[in-house]
Amino acid sequence: MPRQRHSTPDDRQRAFEALVLPHLDRLLGFASRRTATLVDAEDAVQDTCLRAWAAFDELRDPGSARAWLYRILRSVLSESSERLARRARLLPITRLDDVHESLVAGSGESVFDEMAHRLDREVLQAALAAIPEDFATAVELHDIEGFTYAEIADTVGAPIGTVMSRMSRGRRLLAAVIAERGREWALGAPVDSGIRRMPRSS
Amino acid sequence: MSEHSQGAIPHRLPHDWQRESERHEVIASLLATYIDGELPPEAAGQVEAHLVACRRCTKEVALQRQLAASLGQLGGPVASAALHTRIRSALAAAPVPVPVVAPRQPTGVTGLGVRWRWIGLAAGLPLLWWAGVTLREPSRAPRPDAAPVGSGAPVAVGAAPLLDSLTAQWQALTGPLPGRDRDVDAVRRALGMALVPLVHPALDLEAVWTTSAWGELIGALAYRHEGRLLVQYAVPDGVLRHSPSLLGAGDSVVAGTRADSLRLLVWRTPGGASVLMGATTLDRLRALRSSPSQAGQAGASRRPSARPR
């Protein structure tokens, strides 16, 4: 597919803005779940736009602009993560697996059921921040951003089978985190929405 | 659950299960794919048949659906008008990149081509031997366009595709230069590497912009020197990898000739290399590059900003 051609710089900027600016809200939402403050998230989105601008002529298919932008944003966030990320209080995955097991294998009402109506923004963000980045990214791109599995695979550079696994595992871990912390949140404990990430899924 | 590294969504599940637990495990691992409507109809039908009898998987489906629905309603911040303005202003100030097509690599070699290559190699061996002796023997005055300026092993710049690419770009600079705002900081941010403009009384910085090679960004700084155009390309390590001979030069400064009159110098900088080229002499390039004000160029923090005209 040919590279994009624009007759004048103004033409190029108009085409770029028409393609990129509609995604700003979503990009900002994704970034804000990975940065300590909204200002950091805005800086990451601006940096993303500048990099996208520099590489705009390399974008061969305008239809894939969304996945392309998220790829750039993930790269920007990855580079700044050491600078921006807070320390994590991570829950061990094996313990989360046990919690999930009790959720689906138990016969009675689970903590998750009790918590279901309390799944507000704060709780979900805190839970997303408590699971490994790869799993959280897959779940967020699908459930929040509306990506298909193929688009997620394209964005994160992984085979579609890997995306399937990350979706499945990510939702299980998410449910387990909510159940694990549900009781304290239900009792009015502050929800720690600080950004904390396990580095990568294994 | 291990990741599906084979990378395929199954169209149907096998019927010859050895054990019921094996069937359960496989189906449980596909429940998210089923819920998200990404499973082909036949495999989805098999999952549904399993759900009729498996309370555990039914709970899992309900759990995941509830979570997905909650996440789908999760709102986020809205990009403010100020952010839109900031981004538009930044874009307006950013230089428009000038893309460069990387030199085409040979895609195949015919039998005739192979024969000629062997003949060429046989003929070239004495020349290579001569070049090696010449370059190692100071009294024989090595050709100035093929020797390293600093210490280190000689480098055959002719085998550097990067230099071919930059030469093509230099030759394409026939009209008005891009990046006449000379926004060094914008280019530096885009590159993510040290970008050290040359500072010399006989040099005028005329333009700064970004370009690309092999899909990666490189920076370009154009100077006017005694009426002639000189261009300094800032090449990140990622691009430099396409020219192993330059990487192999280590900290040596490499000098070379391209396109008859074009001379160039290559030296390493933090995070990449600088390539200075122009239709002038190598001695002049060396003098401009080794100006006393360039002594501190290894430190990114001491870089000057674009000078106002």
Side-chain angles (χ1 to χ4, degrees):
Chain A
M1 206 173 290
R3 298 152 71 102
Q4 295 199 82
R5 296 287 180 199
H6 304 99
S7 52
T8 66
D10 285 348
D11 182 31
R12 186 181 191 272
Q13 181 157 351
R14 269 194 298 275
F16 179 83
E17 289 183 0
L19 207 58
V20 171
L21 296 188
H23 297 291
L24 278 196
D25 289 351
R26 292 296 199 176
L27 292 169
L28 187 62
F30 188 85
S32 70
R33 290 189 289 276
R34 284 160 177 76
T35 52
T37 68
L38 186 59
V39 173
D40 291 335
E42 289 181 340
D43 286 347
V45 170
Q46 180 175 340
D47 201 3
T48 298
C49 289
L50 285 173
R51 291 194 195 186
W53 169 253
F56 187 41
D57 298 324
E58 306 288 333
L59 176 66
R60 287 172 167 77
D61 175 18
S64 64
R66 184 171 67 155
W68 174 67
L69 287 169
Y70 275 83
R71 256 198 321 271
I72 298 173
L73 175 59
R74 290 184 75 236
S75 172
V76 169
L77 290 167
S78 169
E79 289 166 18
S80 59
S81 62
E82 285 190 10
R83 182 166 51 87
L84 299 176
R86 297 185 202 162
R87 292 297 299 167
R89 282 192 298 123
L90 299 168
L91 297 174
I93 283 192
T94 48
R95 196 167 101 213
L96 293 180
D97 285 336
D98 292 342
V99 173
H100 174 264
E101 178 66 20
S102 72
L103 281 177
V104 294
S107 55
E109 289 294 301
S110 68
V111 176
F112 192 81
D113 293 330
E114 295 165 20
M115 281 292 295
H117 65 287
R118 298 175 193 272
L119 290 180
D120 61 14
R121 176 189 165 84
E122 263 190 316
V123 168
L124 287 170
Q125 286 206 175
L128 280 169
I131 67 175
E133 170 68 21
D134 288 344
F135 298 132
T137 295
V139 171
E140 286 182 64
L141 288 180
H142 185 276
D143 292 348
I144 301 176
E145 313 298 344
F147 279 51
T148 63
Y149 280 21
E151 286 175 314
I152 298 172
D154 183 27
T155 302
V156 303
I160 203 159
T162 302
V163 174
M164 290 164 62
S165 294
R166 289 180 184 173
M167 286 300 303
S168 175
R169 192 85 195 274
R171 286 209 192 109
R172 290 178 182 198
L173 293 175
L174 210 50
V177 170
I178 291 168
E180 174 82 353
R181 295 187 171 170
R183 283 203 178 85
E184 53 183 288
W185 289 339
L187 290 172
V191 178
D192 174 13
S193 58
I195 305 306
R196 53 194 193 285
R197 291 281 179 206
M198 290 182 178
R200 287 279 166 191
S201 62
S202 55
Chain B
M1 184 180 65
S2 64
E3 292 188 339
H4 294 263
S5 54
Q6 297 306 311
I9 296 178
H11 284 274
R12 58 188 295 275
L13 307 176
H15 288 290
D16 54 341
W17 303 97
Q18 297 298 311
R19 292 171 301 164
E20 187 56 29
S21 62
E22 188 185 350
R23 165 191 284 267
H24 172 83
E25 258 183 45
V26 172
I27 289 180
S29 73
L30 292 172
L31 289 179
T33 315
Y34 163 74
I35 291 163
D36 296 334
E38 296 265 357
L39 217 50
E42 191 174 348
Q46 290 174 282
V47 171
E48 282 162 4
H50 174 78
L51 289 176
V52 172
C54 183
R55 183 169 183 273
R56 180 197 170 98
C57 284
T58 304
K59 282 186 81 171
E60 176 77 54
V61 167
L63 187 68
Q64 290 203 28
R65 280 197 169 131
Q66 190 172 17
L67 257 182
S70 300
L71 288 167
Q73 293 167 0
L74 185 65
V78 175
S80 63
L83 179 60
H84 277 265
T85 305
R86 257 174 65 188
I87 289 172
R88 283 201 168 93
S89 303
L91 292 179
V96 176
V98 179
V100 168
V101 178
R104 188 182 296 276
Q105 298 297 317
T107 55
V109 179
T110 63
L112 183 64
V114 170
R115 277 196 297 278
W116 276 107
R117 280 170 191 230
W118 279 108
I119 292 168
L121 182 62
L125 279 173
L127 280 175
L128 284 173
W129 172 83
W130 174 83
V133 170
T134 303
L135 291 172
R136 282 173 174 77
E137 181 58 61
S139 64
R140 296 194 184 188
R143 284 174 56 206
D145 61 351
V149 175
S151 60
V155 175
V157 291
L162 170 65
L163 300 183
D164 295 335
S165 174
L166 296 181
T167 301
Q169 166 145 11
W170 191 89
Q171 290 169 331
L173 291 173
T174 52
L177 292 173
R180 297 187 73 87
D181 288 343
R182 288 163 290 159
D183 191 343
V184 177
D185 288 334
V187 172
R188 187 178 295 143
R189 275 197 304 274
L191 287 180
M193 65 169 283
L195 182 61
V196 189
L198 299 175
V199 179
H200 189 281
L203 275 182
D204 282 323
L205 182 64
E206 286 210 335
V208 183
W209 68 96
T210 54
T211 180
S212 65
W214 291 281
E216 295 191 58
L217 283 183
I218 57 181
L221 301 96
Y223 306 88
R224 191 63 60 179
H225 171 65
E226 296 176 349
R228 290 176 174 162
L229 182 71
L230 303 181
V231 180
Q232 176 192 3
Y233 292 101
V235 184
D237 275 335
V239 179
L240 209 56
R241 278 196 289 274
H242 291 281
S243 293
S245 62
L246 293 180
L247 271 179
D251 292 330
S252 300
V253 176
V254 176
T257 298
R258 280 288 188 285
D260 298 331
S261 61
L262 188 62
R263 302 286 185 272
L264 56 89
L265 281 185
V266 187
W267 67 95
R268 295 304 300 266
T269 59
S274 265
V275 179
L276 178 64
M277 54 174 57
T280 184
T281 64
L282 278 172
D283 284 343
R284 185 57 56 90
L285 291 182
R286 290 186 188 107
L288 295 171
R289 185 248 165 193
S290 60
S291 161
S293 50
Q294 293 299 307
Q297 65 182 347
S301 61
R302 280 174 285 175
R303 294 177 301 241
S305 288
R307 290 168 292 164
R309 288 179 70 85

